[in-house]
Amino acid sequence: MNRVEGKAALITGGGAGIGAATGELICAEGGMALLVDADARALAGTMQAIAERVPRARVSTFAADVADANAAARAVEHALQTFGRLDILVNNAAMRNYSAIADSTPGEWQAMVGVNLVGTANYCKAALPALRRSGRASIVNVSSCYALTGRKGMGLYDATKAGILAMTRTLAFEEVAHGVRVNAVCPGSTLTDFHVSKAKAAGKDIEALKSERQTTSLLGRWAAPQEIAWPILWLASDEASFVTGATLAVDGGLSIM
């Protein structure tokens, strides 16, 4: 369909999971993708996989911690030097924390906010001058279904993901005059490389892992990363030209359970 033909995207957290799937899909739909991730080895593997699966894909990588504002500026400059433009920003990078709020430390809070909130703000600020020049640009922030509903054990993560929704709404107001749409997706349980690796390290069978999400979606299963990448692609494309400031739950129905 070539939904993003000729458009260039910068995707944080692009080394694996949802970010990698989004980068591949953007390339398959006629776009160009710069994948940013702190894990240089993961970036190299993902770039090779995209090149093998998407003939003539235009994809590049940049290793950086999203909490580093200076690196964000360099990543955007790399995108501009490589592709000559920037039309799409996907803020997908995030870190997790499993402390109960009552047990969490200031250092844990600072680390979470530094990556999940400040990291998102870093890339918005760095990318906005180029996105404004595009005239029809799109920012898609990846939040979480648990920004919409509650649970125990990941309060730090969930609080930062809820903050991303507030940031999304505010930025939509601030950037509408510049032709930049800003939206958020809230994925549900997604079977990424992170979860697979964690299960293997614990000696857990992958088929058993797949059965663990029977009660966390109406569909009774995990999402594949590609199932989150498709809604991100749509929000980034001109097909969503009348959508801004929106929160799209891509959670298999968890948020209504």
Side-chain angles (χ1 to χ4, degrees):
M1 293 292 292
N2 295 326
R3 286 178 169 88
V4 288
E5 179 72 35
K7 293 191 174 186
L10 188 158
I11 305 161
T12 69
I18 293 169
T22 301
E24 180 174 336
L25 187 54
I26 282 174
C27 290
E29 289 284 327
M32 302 164 276
L34 174 63
L35 309 177
V36 177
D37 201 288
D39 188 338
R41 181 176 295 181
L43 284 172
T46 294
M47 185 174 178
Q48 180 178 348
I50 292 175
E52 291 173 353
R53 290 194 287 259
V54 183
R56 297 178 297 279
R58 294 187 63 185
V59 58
S60 185
T61 63
F62 189 89
D65 179 348
V66 295
D68 184 340
N70 292 327
R74 294 196 300 272
V76 169
E77 184 59 30
H78 180 82
L80 294 173
Q81 290 178 353
T82 304
F83 305 129
R85 60 187 298 150
L86 186 62
D87 309 275
I88 299 164
L89 171 64
V90 179
N91 285 305
N92 170 69
M95 68 176 293
R96 294 173 173 83
N97 180 288
Y98 299 93
S99 295
I101 291 175
D103 301 324
S104 59
T105 67
E108 287 177 306
W109 274 106
Q110 289 162 6
M112 290 294 295
V113 170
V115 171
N116 295 4
L117 277 177
V118 177
T120 297
N122 284 341
Y123 277 79
C124 288
K125 181 176 181 178
L128 276 168
L131 294 174
R132 289 169 176 176
R133 290 195 296 272
S134 170
R136 295 179 68 84
S138 174
I139 297 174
V140 183
N141 294 324
V142 179
S143 178
S144 167
C145 61
Y146 291 105
L148 304 173
T149 187
R151 61 175 167 175
K152 64 179 181 179
M154 290 188 71
L156 284 68
Y157 177 88
D158 296 348
T160 58
K161 288 297 186 175
I164 285 173
L165 299 185
M167 188 187 304
T168 297
R169 292 189 292 268
T170 299
L171 200 57
F173 269 102
E174 293 177 348
E175 292 303 315
V176 66
H178 302 288
V180 181
R181 295 182 297 105
V182 189
N183 295 287
V185 295
C186 291
S189 299
T190 306
L191 193 57
T192 62
D193 299 331
F194 171 84
H195 293 291
V196 172
S197 298
K198 186 178 177 183
K200 287 181 177 178
K204 186 179 296 183
D205 180 76
I206 300 304
E207 291 305 314
L209 173 67
K210 291 179 180 179
S211 70
E212 288 182 354
R213 289 297 186 267
Q214 296 296 314
T215 60
T216 58
S217 79
L218 287 179
L219 298 178
R221 62 175 178 83
W222 296 78
Q226 292 78 9
E227 291 179 290
I228 313 301
W230 278 110
I232 292 172
L233 173 77
W234 180 74
L235 286 171
S237 77
D238 289 338
E239 292 181 6
S241 57
F242 199 59
V243 182
T244 194
T247 296
L248 177 60
V250 190
D251 61 359
L254 173 62
S255 54
I256 66 167
M257 290 174 67

